[in-house]
Amino acid sequence: MGARDRHGIDPPWGEFRHVGQGSTKIDGLAKATGAALYADDLSLPLMLHAKTLRSPHPHARLRAIDSGAALALPGVHAVITGRDLPVRYGILPWSQDETALAVDKVRFVGDPVAAVAAVDEDTANEALKRIRVDYELLHPFLDPRESLARGDPPIHEDRKEGNVSKKVELAFGDVDSAFAGAAVVIEGDYDFHGTTHAAIEPHCVLARYGPDGVLTLWSSTQITHYVHRALSRVLGLPPHRIRVIQPCLGGAFGGKSDPFSLEFCASLLAIRTARPVKMLYTREEVFYAHRGRHPMQMRYRTAAGPDGRLAAVDARILIDGGAYSSYGLVTTYYSGQLLTGPYHFPAYRFESTRVFTNKPPCGPKRGHGSVQPRFAFEVQLDRLAERLGLDPFELRRRNLLGADATTVNGQRVTSNGFARCLERVEEASGWRQRRGRLPRGRGLGMAGSMYISGTNYPIYPNPMPQSGIQLKLDRSGLVTVFSGGNDIGQGTNTIVRCLVAEELGLQLEQVRVVAADTDLCPVDLGAYSSRGTFMIGNAVLDACRKLRGTLVSAVAESWGVDPRRVRFVDGAVVDLEDPGRSLPTADAFQLAEARFDTLGATGSYNTPSLGGDYRGGTIGASPAYSFTAHVVEVTVDEETGRITCERAWIAHDCGRALNPVLVAGQMEGSAYMGLAEALVEEHEVNRFGLHRGPSLLDYRLPTSVDTPELHSLIVESLDPEGPYGAKEAGEGPLHPAIPALSNAVFDAVGIRLQHLPFTPGKVLKALRAAAAERRPAVAAVSGT
Amino acid sequence: MLRLPSFRLEQPDTLPQALALLDQAGPEAAVLAGGTDLLPNMKHELRRPSVVIALSRVKGLTGIAEAADGAIEIGAMTPLAEVAQSALVARALPALAQAAALVAGPQLRQRGTLGGNVLLDTRCQYVNQSHFWRSALGFCLKKDGTVCHVVAGGSRCVAAASADTVPALMTLGAVLEVARHDRTRQLPIDAFFVADGIVNRRLEPTELLTRVRVPRPAAGHRGAYGKLRERGSIDFPLLGVAARLDLSEAGVVEHADLVLTSLAAAPRRVAGAADALRGSAPGHAPAEFETAVRRVAELARRQCRPLPNLPGDHEWRGEMVPVYARRTLLAAAAGQGPVHHV
Amino acid sequence: MLVRGLRRKIGVILQLQVNGDVHEVDVPDHWTLLEVLRYRLGLTGSKQGCDKGDCGACTVLLDGQPAISCLVLAREAEGRSVLTIEGLAPRHVAAGGCGVDPVQAAFDASGALQCGFCQSGMILSAWALLARNPRPRPEEVRAALAGNLCRCTGYTQIFDAVARLATAGAATAPETSPEAVRD
């Protein structure tokens, strides 16, 4: 990290004009009026429609494919199979185990096998039915324990470790001694089921291969740059002949952060047919593309002193990865590496094993790899508090990591507003007056968490910046910002506009943002790991500050005054010592252009060197961490077993809230998503190897009448390295929702829910088991 | 986008035209009476009719009216939202109003019709899936196959009757008016359903349901509907319970009924419910009434054993049978309802 | 008319009244209203999320009532008035307003538009609610929007948007009754 990557937390011109204001979004009205264009809203003359043939078997060898009858159908322009796209890819350089279409094997029901381009969707669908595929069926692995136990038949044949995808074992401090000497040890088994992103927009691409030999792909991706690289690799086209554009995106949550089959297929079909090709996944296909939250079976042991001070944590985790690696290597590390805050503990060991199964591949979903362990750990803490007779808040306060600390696994934590988060939710929920005093069936629970604001490790190792920005200043007073960042609805482009306007003293309407177009914009690595505001924001400040001096000196010279008297504010330039003297921004730009040159600047951000000095020590290392605390209030109907989440209080330390309306939206959306995972959502493969219900009817997203009252409480700990002190808000606020809910159910009816999802049937069984014991609460703790 | 298979659309303006078209097309035709069930099923290729006859333009099939004898007559094409919002229905037939108000979500209640709901196809977790999905699993008894995935070795389709309004109409003794090009017949709704998941309705392919006629209950009528589902909107029932209590002027139960749906291929009337409840007086002797209600709930539990035909935990559905039976009866007695978790 | 070699017959010309304009389109019988709006009329503001009536993203107003356009055959919409998200602002301006419709402005001001994909449908459901009930209670708002799934917001800022209008009351709510939508 160079000096240019730190810009301080202070307003550039004395006071903030836009930051903290909660302005409307840069694309809000376009979205509200239907004018915003998403991938499937685009069309081109002569456009063909493409469809994918998918495997009906969970595990099989491909013996032969006959697509002759499909090609013979009038209106069909091309059929491609795995032989046409044999080059492997994968988001991580170390685990390239996917092909756009199956080459020799299929590994889950829904694995792509062939693709067709035809004049319309109906013809393409008809063609799919005429493709004959000869399969040799193989034993399907549906249970991760079986994959762990045996590697035969292998799901991926060239792996050394059978059906193990990744195993990580790390230990810090003297774990065994800590357990031996502990006053209290809490042990428990926890299950996290599979869930998926279910963004309302299905994946869609439009590909065009021009007579100039340039491939343009409009894709509903959240990682334009990586798609660009993957297309080049798989298609064998040099990257300068490929342009990837992300149009307006209808939600992602991590579900659009891999390169996907349709991107390669539509591109090749466009090349083969010399016509534009669109491919839009059906909702069912989106469930097969998946990359959702990994199911995890977790065993935790937590050791503490008599005062509740944590002594050691020991975890063993089995991760069901599904059919491909995707981000799995990172997931496996994250399952252990991201647990080491917001509490201090001196000894820690985890062993995480990800295995392949014949199911849709898992990947990163909001809170990648760390939502599952956080659930287990925060319930462990609640049980520890119960055992020691401590209030759950008090237990956590006794273990605070604090600011400017180093975690047990060597991560540097700078700003830390967790203690304040605890205070805010404790106060707002009336915890002290209400907890334990509500009628039976009603309860309060709490939990905390920590999350990264991006990581210092790019997905492919390279020394270049993680984020780049380019500014172009126009004589009209307009600034056009070229940003590689992917605005996926979270508002990245709105933040970019806000920061540029702040830095150059402009009105918001004087800033236009062009984003996520690899021909026009410098590289940003994409919308994942909550890196956007932090990294793109810093790159913006870097670029703006390079121009500010130029602009100020041009005006100062023209006025013949000391540059310190010149201030850019709200679209004008004023003389601080002569209120009568001012210029519109446009005039200032013209003065500077005449005096110096055409006006533009670039800026970038790269992370400092971070992380522990051991293999994997940089995974999970972030330039800044966000913190969250939740209190959740539930009612439990003991006769039906149904849990109703009545309200949730969410306090989140996002550093400086650049736009509090957007921050609150992220907090509420995160909490909603976590609570939904806990109560109703289930991405499950049935005993036949099929997704049990790949539709938005059977995969149930809560509706407006199912969603609790959500109260967002923003906590601002100004981060020394964030843009004006900002950190992330998009993923962290999800984490405590699930354990807080479980803990609230304990408060309400005295049962410990440790196996997600918390369906009413499971609740009833737990209630019955508890009733069978004389002292249900104690039994639940010792019985695990 | 998931596409509809191609077909020819007919939009008759009159009932005779519609019946004539249906007579010509026979089993090749599908009748579109809202389409909120038919069109998804067609997208899933559960049905591939060559002709679709849309009834939306046919005059005389909508509306809620009181007949001379006090019966309430509801046109088959009356939107569910209208049934739910009708003051007359709410007052006279509370269970029906409540059931109609809980079908699917707001838009689908505008589009979906009472007739369409009565004729809703049976549902199963192995059936209501795309053609690709079903082909991957292997087709089943309900459509294109010979096996049952719910009951291993089963030879009878157990897809679940899933219409919310049907149990309410059964407790109300509704009569279905069914027309064919050459005749019209009146069919008590009790005789309309059979326990066959493939087709659970006794309706000939050339017949149309045109009207639902509900005899006017006596002044002491109480009714309620209970619906079990995961979410508070959109979802089909995992269990539907309609309860009826007719009280004398003295507040004594003279007639009672309890009908459940979403368990098996046909809705089920709880045998012995009427006898158990008759003579009790919810207002005057609530404890005795509650005892009777518990007895009926226990009867319901014994008579209903849900199969894993719908998504989710069927054992839990079974456990909810007595709970929802009891709660719905109590709600009816109190003049309340629906029994629904939100 | 049948043309040899083509799989489908060419349909009868269909007249659709959308946002006050009459469009003539030629589509096969099995096309849905959503497909015609998006892929024939260029009205891509109505979104497709679930294929089959489970999400509400394709909600349009049919004679003033919210309807799921992926479950309405295009031909069934003939003779009825269709209002899509694209029609709201022009309608507001034609009625003497300026800018966008107040419902759209409220959604923008409240942060309700994250990815925006569900919001055309959501806004139309809210608009129809406010047209018949300018001051809905919070539970009425929740009930009216219960057929429109949103994955981003947790609905809170959407409720805020409608509450903004409900508080303002009839002054800023849509001034037209559902019937008046039939242009």
Side-chain angles (χ1 to χ4, degrees), chain A residues 51 54-56 109-110 121-122 125 129 280 282 284 288 637 639-640 642 680 686-688 690-694 696-698 700-701 703 705-706 760-761 764-765 768, chain B residues 1-4 45 48 123 125-126 128-133 136-137 149 228-236 311-313 315-316 319-320 323-324 326-327 341-342:
Chain A
K51 293 278 180 186
R54 292 174 181 277
S55 166
V109 174
E121 285 187 278
D122 289 345
N125 281 329
K129 291 192 172 178
L280 165 67
T282 63
E284 180 176 7
Y288 299 144
D637 181 331
E639 199 178 26
T640 64
R642 195 190 290 272
V680 287
N686 68 17
R687 66 197 155 100
F688 303 104
L690 278 92
H691 191 292
R692 73 165 198 171
L696 291 184
L697 183 63
D698 291 325
R700 297 183 165 99
L701 311 184
T703 72
V705 295
D706 302 300
L764 279 188
K765 285 194 181 82
R768 263 185 224 123
Chain B
M1 190 178 312
L2 192 61
R3 302 273 298 170
L4 282 167
E45 300 181 50
R48 290 209 61 155
R123 299 187 64 80
Q125 62 171 319
Y126 301 111
N128 295 97
Q129 305 280 1
S130 72
H131 185 269
F132 165 78
W133 195 100
L137 177 65
H149 300 297
L228 178 71
R229 56 176 164 181
E230 291 204 20
R231 292 179 293 187
S233 180
I234 299 179
D235 294 343
F236 284 95
D313 179 349
E315 289 177 10
W316 175 66
E319 291 183 73
M320 291 305 99
V323 176
Y324 272 67
R326 191 185 81 248
R327 290 184 180 186
H341 68 281
V342 295

Side-chain angles (χ1 to χ4, degrees), chain A residues 380-430:
Chain A
Q380 285 275 104
L381 292 183
D382 210 61
R383 292 173 51 196
L384 176 62
E386 180 205 352
R387 175 80 66 88
L388 294 170
L390 287 173
D391 181 276
F393 276 92
E394 176 58 25
L395 177 85
R396 284 163 175 86
R397 288 189 175 115
R398 289 185 185 184
N399 288 288
L400 292 178
L401 179 67
D404 301 315
T406 302
T407 65
V408 67
N409 58 339
Q411 313 297 10
R412 182 201 74 168
V413 172
T414 53
S415 63
N416 182 340
F418 184 60
R420 183 66 188 137
C421 291
L422 291 175
E423 287 170 21
R424 293 292 307 274
V425 291
E426 189 182 37
E427 282 163 25
S429 65

Side-chain angles (χ1 to χ4, degrees), chain A residues 87-90 93 96 227-237 239 242 264:
Chain A
V87 178
R88 289 197 203 179
Y89 63 89
Q96 309 256 310
V227 170
H228 189 199
R229 286 171 54 85
L231 281 177
S232 171
R233 174 189 169 92
V234 172
L235 299 171
L237 277 181
I242 300 174
F264 306 103

Side-chain angles (χ1 to χ4, degrees), chain A residues 313-619:
Chain A
V313 175
D314 187 14
R316 202 169 65 243
I317 302 177
L318 175 61
I319 305 172
D320 184 349
Y324 293 99
S325 287
S326 180
Y327 284 79
L329 181 153
V330 176
T331 317
T332 311
Y333 274 106
Y334 276 8
S335 70
Q337 290 287 67
L338 298 187
L339 193 75
T340 54
Y343 317 110
H344 171 71
F345 41 90
Y348 180 40
R349 177 169 62 207
F350 71 90
E351 178 205 294
S352 290
T353 309
R354 182 183 192 265
V355 296
F356 293 115
T357 53
N358 293 112
K359 305 182 200 175
C362 297
K365 179 179 164 187
R366 202 177 205 172
H368 179 194
S370 69
V371 167
Q372 305 94 319
R374 180 60 58 185
F375 154 62
F377 187 58
E378 294 286 329
V379 175
Q380 285 275 104
L381 292 183
D382 210 61
R383 292 173 51 196
L384 176 62
E386 180 205 352
R387 175 80 66 88
L388 294 170
L390 287 173
D391 181 276
F393 276 92
E394 176 58 25
L395 177 85
R396 284 163 175 86
R397 288 189 175 115
R398 289 185 185 184
N399 288 288
L400 292 178
L401 179 67
D404 301 315
T406 302
T407 65
V408 67
N409 58 339
Q411 313 297 10
R412 182 201 74 168
V413 172
T414 53
S415 63
N416 182 340
F418 184 60
R420 183 66 188 137
C421 291
L422 291 175
E423 287 170 21
R424 293 292 307 274
V425 291
E426 189 182 37
E427 282 163 25
S429 65
W431 178 274
R432 289 189 187 191
Q433 304 80 48
R434 299 173 68 221
R435 202 232 177 199
R437 299 192 187 122
L438 295 168
R440 186 175 167 89
R442 201 167 183 103
L444 292 173
M446 62 82 61
S449 68
M450 167 175 113
Y451 200 65
I452 52 177
S453 301
T455 74
N456 74 326
Y457 209 68
I459 272 173
Y460 64 100
N462 74 80
M464 291 175 280
Q466 287 219 22
S467 191
I469 282 285
Q470 200 159 357
L471 300 177
K472 177 227 162 212
L473 273 58
D474 190 77
R475 294 175 187 180
S476 64
L478 177 78
V479 177
T480 306
V481 193
F482 298 89
S483 160
N486 293 91
D487 191 327
I488 60 175
Q490 83 284 47
T492 301
N493 291 344
T494 302
I495 295 298
V496 166
R497 177 181 67 169
C498 167
L499 295 179
V500 171
E502 198 69 62
E503 282 289 311
L504 300 181
L506 306 172
Q507 295 182 337
L508 293 176
E509 66 189 38
Q510 290 177 278
V511 183
R512 218 101 80 211
V513 180
V514 175
D517 179 331
T518 59
D519 264 19
L520 303 182
C521 306
V523 166
D524 174 79
L525 295 183
Y528 64 91
S529 77
S530 279
R531 49 182 298 288
T533 292
F534 196 96
M535 299 198 186
I536 299 167
N538 272 321
V540 167
L541 298 195
D542 181 41
C544 289
R545 286 185 187 186
K546 288 176 185 166
L547 274 174
R548 266 170 52 191
T550 308
L551 296 171
V552 166
S553 66
V555 175
E557 195 177 296
S558 157
W559 286 348
V561 302
D562 186 307
R564 279 169 296 188
R565 285 171 55 179
V566 176
R567 174 177 287 187
F568 281 62
V569 60
D570 293 341
V573 192
V574 296
D575 181 344
L576 288 176
E577 291 178 18
D578 179 357
R581 181 147 64 189
S582 76
L583 281 177
T585 314
D587 291 6
F589 285 7
Q590 289 172 22
L591 281 174
E593 186 176 337
R595 171 71 182 80
F596 297 105
D597 198 349
T598 301
L599 296 172
T602 59
S604 68
Y605 174 78
N606 213 351
T607 54
S609 177
L610 293 169
D613 186 18
Y614 53 90
R615 186 183 165 88
T618 57
I619 301 185

